[in-house]
Amino acid sequence: MVFDLDLIKNVYKGYKTKVDAARNKLNKPLTLTEKILYAHLHQTTPLNNFNRGADYVNFTPDRVAMQDATAQMALLQFMQAGKSKVAVPSTVHADHLIQARIGADKDLQEAINKNNEVYNFLESVSDKYGIGFWKPGAGIIHQVVLENYAFPGGMMIGTDSHTVNAGGLGMIAIGVGGADAVDVMAGMAWELKMPKLIGVKLIGKLNGWTAPKDIILKVAGILTVKGGTGAVVEYFGDGAESLSCTGKGTICNMGAEIGATTSTFGYDDSMRRYLVATGRQEVVDSANEVAEYLTGDPEVYANPEQYFDQVIEINLSELEPHVNGPFTPDRATPVSRMRAEAEKNGWPLKIDWGLIGSCTNSSYEDISRAASIAEQAILKGLTPKAKFGINPGSEQVRFTIARDGFVETFEKLGAKIFTNACGPCIGQWDRDGSEKGEVNSIIHSFNRNFSKRADGNPNTHAFVASPEMVAAVAIAGDLGFNPITDTLTNANGEKVKLNPPTGWELPPKGFDVEDAGYLAPSADGSGINVVVKPDSERLQLLSPFEAWNGENITGARLLIKTKGKCTTDHISMAGPWLRYRGHLDNISNNCLIGAVNAFSEETNKVKSQLTGQTGEVPLIQRSYKAVGIPTIVVGDHNYGEGSSREHAAMEPRFLGVKAVIVKSFARIHETNLKKQGMLGLTFNTESDYDKIKEDDTFNFLNLNEFAPSKSIELEIVHSDGSTEIITVNHTYNEQQIEWFKAGSALNLIKKENQK
């Protein structure tokens, strides 16, 4: 079955005309990114030579994908939009709420037992509004999308930052908050600032122990976690064409870790092979008719410096395997230097766990290459020094790797085969002993390694590597192990060396599955009732946020001034809090509890300006809300890095925070704040961050003149009566200011639908 084939054919039908018109208007050859973006301009948007990094542009994405944790809030919002059916093909994937503990079957059943109310809600609301539903155990959203929905030259949005994974099949796929998804599902235009373009030229060919994962680990080291902000990364060159489709997906997936809007590759034979292998020959037939329009123009790739804002070149033949971390995905270390780096920094060399899978590296190719290392360990008499955990990416992958013997290979090494779900990658891991807080190291093939992310232990040093490198290092139990040069001692006391991994790009006997886990929606959902119990702990119908009164915000107090990295994990933790993702009041009890207080360097402890006492952040904020005192949050660089979760914006909004003022924002979080009717502002002078004191009062002086490109003056009143006036900037355009005035973007949608 090919999903949405008519839609795909229709997209391709108009491709040549739209791209040719854009090429003529811009009067230059086009990158792939430009072709896709201009081919998806909203019908009300005039064709212009938009300024990268400056102009907001309206687009029409082809589809929407949501995972179960974010879908709850997205669909609760959609239910208020006044629509009877989604306007574009949309899906929900139940992958985030399954905790890894014992093993696949028992963990899945436990998840169904615990989350039955949420699953029933998601299934019924999907059925009512024409949304495809992928059941618990069907797989991780991004792997399922790659296998079933992604297509070259398409454009999609998804309520997860790793939606970008679909760039492996030549899409522009972008992670967004739920409010953005509501716009598109309601048939409205979707707004995005025209991105800058970063070109990555890949030459040479991967060999030996080096994998596609090492390319993005290298790029992350070059660009850092914020170097891709506001940009699309486009990979090209002979080296790019030599990569598998799922390898491309891995690279695009971790583009989220450099802050990129998305990443993509041009249509090539690897994509054709993957589409055919996953039963989509008809998509290949249609794509081939416009193949030259599904990659960058030859002139662009011949002289990339003329067409990209930044160009990076990587020679794959010389690339060394990398291990990134701990605590940040951009700390890149070649494997040959890891032992020295670990010893210098005091990182624990002993590896306790090796985890393979996640949406980043759970393809057939990934598992087969890692299994080849596991097979060697068995044949050479090696006993793993670390524990193994495996998360297949989808039921189709799991069924196929079980058929082909890879699951049995890992089980011989004592591996736990977890459910086809996110599991440890997002903190859904009930790890024995993590509550003790012991200092330890783990290595995984995931994408993020922030403090506490995997197991809740701030002392777990998590390192990111390719699946084959994870397998080798876990077998050795040694972070400093370099399989290229080092040997291991087997049970007979013999020195043995691991050979480079081998594997298959695609299963030689084809993919197979008995039940992929898909439920199609009813053709007419008008008679379906979606029930949310008033006393539910898990789900809560939403009430609209209040509109702005048009006046300056005065007498505001500081809730918290955060220091250093403040990701969406710090603002709205996942792990056990995932159970409340559909209940705004309950989940707001985790608001900013992971953020570091700049004044005390403690977490979840701030000073109340009402009592002078310290307390937990959510409780202090609720006390301000109870007496009608507005508050602000102050932050450092790249505030809101990480996940697309809009809860990180909705929680402070719900609790009464009026503005977030930082040195710089991560893209998705800034947009989420705007969508929810909050002020997301940046210091005009970064050193003004240092002027903010714990007991200050804040008065906005000209917010009543809120306008595009007009800075806002903020008066700081110190406790000694002295005052300072600082300037804060914003990126709101006229439409986004209307969101703020209305109280949220959703409030405007409701108003439009009531006309």
Side-chain angles (χ1 to χ4, degrees):
M1 175 184 177
V2 180
F3 290 97
D4 309 317
L5 183 59
D6 288 342
L7 176 145
I8 295 170
K9 288 182 175 180
N10 191 55
V11 169
Y12 289 151
K13 183 178 179 180
Y15 228 82
K16 291 182 180 181
T17 301
K18 292 176 180 177
V19 172
D20 286 344
R23 189 185 288 112
N24 291 334
K25 183 70 176 182
L26 275 61
N27 194 30
K28 69 178 184 67
L30 300 181
T31 63
L32 168 64
T33 302
E34 289 169 318
K35 291 180 181 181
I36 299 176
L37 291 176
Y38 278 94
H40 286 84
L41 290 180
H42 191 263
Q43 60 184 6
T44 61
T45 302
L47 178 59
N48 286 315
N49 188 357
F50 299 107
N51 295 313
R52 297 177 191 169
D55 291 343
Y56 283 95
V57 184
N58 286 334
F59 295 98
T60 304
D62 300 313
R63 64 174 311 106
V64 173
M66 297 163 280
Q67 40 93 336
D68 52 353
T70 53
Q72 295 171 62
M73 197 59 70
L75 293 175
L76 285 165
Q77 292 177 84
F78 182 77
M79 289 168 64
Q80 294 189 53
K83 296 290 185 179
S84 61
K85 193 172 184 178
V86 291
V88 301
S90 304
T91 52
V92 169
H93 304 257
D95 62 356
H96 271 56
L97 300 179
I98 302 169
Q99 188 176 53
R101 187 167 69 93
I102 298 171
D105 292 341
K106 291 184 178 179
D107 290 347
L108 177 59
Q109 187 58 54
E110 181 71 11
I112 292 171
N113 294 342
K114 284 185 176 180
N115 304 307
N116 193 49
E117 179 186 9
V118 172
Y119 291 147
N120 286 341
F121 166 75
L122 292 174
E123 184 178 333
S124 64
V125 77
S126 296
D127 200 16
K128 182 175 182 64
Y129 293 108
I131 299 169
F133 182 69
W134 289 82
K135 298 182 294 185
I140 305 171
I141 175 173
H142 311 303
Q143 180 67 29
V144 173
V145 165
L146 199 70
E147 291 176 3
N148 295 278
Y149 298 111
F151 65 97
M155 184 182 197
M156 68 173 287
I157 62 170
T159 60
D160 189 285
S161 57
H162 293 105
T163 300
V164 295
N165 187 80
L169 254 175
M171 293 195 87
I172 289 293
I174 301 175
V176 299
D180 278 6
V182 171
D183 283 354
V184 177
M185 290 190 294
M188 300 178 67
W190 177 64
E191 183 186 71
L192 177 72
K193 184 181 288 186
M194 183 59 76
K196 294 184 177 181
L197 301 180
I198 298 174
V200 179
K201 183 178 182 179
L202 302 179
I203 62 174
K205 192 171 184 178
L206 296 173
N207 61 85
W209 281 90
T210 311
K213 182 66 162 275
D214 297 303
I215 299 172
I216 187 57
L217 295 179
K218 174 74 172 179
V219 170
I222 295 170
L223 289 176
T224 77
V225 291
K226 60 181 181 178
T229 302
V232 172
V233 182
E234 184 172 324
Y235 292 84
F236 62 94
D238 293 342
E241 294 185 13
S242 71
L243 302 173
S244 68
C245 178
T246 52
K248 292 178 171 74
T250 291
I251 293 166
C252 293
N253 182 292
M254 267 197 75
E257 274 49 75
I258 57 174
T261 301
T262 192
S263 305
T264 195
F265 286 79
Y267 181 50
D268 62 13
D269 284 339
S270 72
M271 296 183 190
R272 292 184 179 93
R273 292 192 297 270
Y274 186 75
L275 286 166
V276 172
T278 51
R280 291 175 284 174
Q281 178 67 57
E282 296 98 324
V283 176
V284 173
D285 295 340
S286 295
N288 284 345
E289 294 178 5
V290 291
E292 65 184 281
Y293 290 81
L294 303 178
T295 189
D297 286 335
E299 300 93 330
V300 170
Y301 295 155
N303 299 285
E305 291 79 6
Q306 297 179 23
Y307 302 98
F308 292 96
D309 298 292
Q310 180 180 356
V311 177
I312 297 168
E313 182 173 306
I314 298 175
N315 188 335
L316 304 186
S317 300
E318 299 173 356
L319 182 64
E320 185 178 347
H322 277 60
V323 178
N324 285 26
F327 306 127
T328 186
D330 61 345
R331 185 165 188 165
T333 304
V335 66
S336 62
R337 299 210 301 266
M338 178 49 79
R339 186 175 301 282
E341 192 73 9
E343 291 174 346
K344 180 179 73 174
N345 289 283
W347 302 333
L349 283 167
K350 180 179 178 291
I351 291 290
D352 290 339
W353 273 88
L355 298 159
I356 295 170
S358 91
C359 62
T360 319
N361 280 108
S362 57
S363 67
Y364 184 90
E365 180 180 35
D366 290 327
I367 301 298
S368 70
R369 285 174 64 86
S372 75
I373 304 303
E375 183 69 25
Q376 285 188 60
I378 295 168
L379 294 175
K380 296 183 179 186
L382 295 169
T383 300
K385 298 296 197 314
K387 297 177 182 177
F388 267 113
I390 312 294
N391 280 84
S394 69
E395 175 58 15
Q396 179 168 264
V397 167
R398 187 212 63 80
F399 191 93
T400 306
I401 64 172
R403 179 200 68 191
D404 293 349
F406 302 145
V407 170
E408 183 181 1
T409 296
F410 281 115
E411 288 179 334
K412 287 179 181 177
L413 292 183
K416 281 190 176 183
I417 310 301
F418 294 127
T419 314
N420 315 318
C422 302
C425 182
I426 60 162
Q428 284 285 60
W429 184 23
D430 186 6
R431 181 185 177 188
D432 289 341
S434 62
E435 72 283 353
K436 299 176 184 177
E438 295 174 345
V439 177
N440 72 103
S441 287
I442 65 175
I443 189 167
H444 59 58
S445 68
F446 307 159
N447 37 50
R448 293 189 177 140
N449 56 349
F450 304 143
S451 175
K452 301 183 182 181
R453 182 169 174 90
D455 62 2
N457 178 5
N459 297 313
T460 293
H461 294 57
F463 296 87
V464 183
S466 68
E468 46 266 62
M469 190 60 63
V470 170
V473 172
I475 289 165
D478 179 5
L479 178 62
F481 176 66
N482 181 357
I484 300 172
T485 58
D486 298 347
T487 59
L488 297 170
T489 303
N490 68 12
N492 298 323
E494 301 165 332
K495 297 283 187 182
V496 297
K497 196 166 183 291
L498 294 174
N499 299 321
T502 59
W504 288 268
E505 175 186 4
L506 297 162
K509 292 186 283 187
F511 284 108
D512 199 3
V513 67
E514 289 181 348
D515 177 8
Y518 175 70
L519 292 178
S522 299
D524 180 5
S526 58
I528 297 171
N529 292 320
V530 179
V531 178
V532 175
K533 294 184 295 184
D535 61 347
S536 171
E537 289 186 345
R538 302 291 300 273
L539 298 165
Q540 179 187 47
L541 295 175
L542 295 175
S543 298
F545 290 132
E546 288 186 2
W548 178 45
N549 62 10
E551 300 176 1
N552 283 313
I553 298 169
T554 58
R557 305 311 297 253
L558 178 71
L559 172 60
I560 186 172
K561 176 180 175 180
T562 71
K563 179 181 179 181
K565 188 185 284 285
C566 190
T567 71
T568 49
D569 277 31
H570 296 94
I571 305 168
S572 174
M573 286 186 175
W577 289 96
L578 284 173
R579 66 181 280 105
Y580 299 121
R581 281 286 181 86
H583 198 294
L584 185 54
D585 193 8
N586 283 346
I587 199 169
S588 292
N589 289 324
N590 79 359
C591 184
L592 286 156
I593 64 175
V596 176
N597 185 338
F599 300 107
S600 65
E601 300 202 357
E602 296 179 293
T603 59
N604 201 22
K605 187 175 289 187
V606 293
K607 184 178 179 181
S608 168
Q609 300 309 310
L610 295 175
T611 66
Q613 302 298 310
T614 59
E616 297 177 356
V617 180
L619 293 178
I620 296 296
Q621 178 54 37
R622 286 182 187 273
S623 69
Y624 289 134
K625 181 181 180 180
V627 294
I629 294 177
T631 56
I632 69 169
V633 170
V634 172
D636 214 319
H637 276 298
N638 208 31
Y639 183 89
E641 170 192 344
S643 169
S644 69
R645 69 191 66 152
E646 64 185 339
H647 299 76
M650 295 186 78
E651 290 174 32
R653 175 75 168 104
F654 174 75
L655 292 177
V657 175
K658 301 299 182 184
V660 179
I661 307 172
V662 300
K663 294 179 182 177
S664 65
F665 281 107
R667 176 191 63 84
I668 301 177
H669 186 64
E670 182 181 21
T671 300
N672 285 344
L673 290 171
K674 292 177 179 180
K675 285 282 186 177
Q676 300 303 333
M678 287 189 71
L679 290 171
L681 309 170
T682 55
F683 291 106
N684 183 62
T685 303
E686 286 189 5
S687 59
D688 285 346
Y689 168 90
D690 300 318
K691 295 178 180 179
I692 308 298
K693 307 303 180 187
E694 192 171 26
D695 51 3
D696 286 341
T697 301
F698 305 89
N699 300 311
F700 289 82
L701 302 181
N702 63 338
L703 182 61
N704 57 334
E705 301 170 2
F706 197 14
S709 304
K710 182 180 177 66
S711 295
I712 295 173
E713 302 299 311
L714 181 67
E715 180 185 48
I716 307 172
V717 182
H718 299 303
S719 58
D720 62 3
S722 63
T723 63
E724 296 182 74
I725 296 177
I726 66 171
T727 300
V728 291
N729 300 323
H730 68 85
T731 60
Y732 289 72
N733 59 24
E734 290 183 2
Q735 177 172 298
Q736 294 167 347
I737 290 174
E738 291 303 313
W739 299 343
F740 175 73
K741 290 179 178 179
S744 71
L746 180 60
N747 287 354
L748 276 185
I749 293 176
K750 290 176 66 177
K751 185 183 295 185
E752 288 296 318
N753 287 329
Q754 289 169 357
K755 289 181 179 179

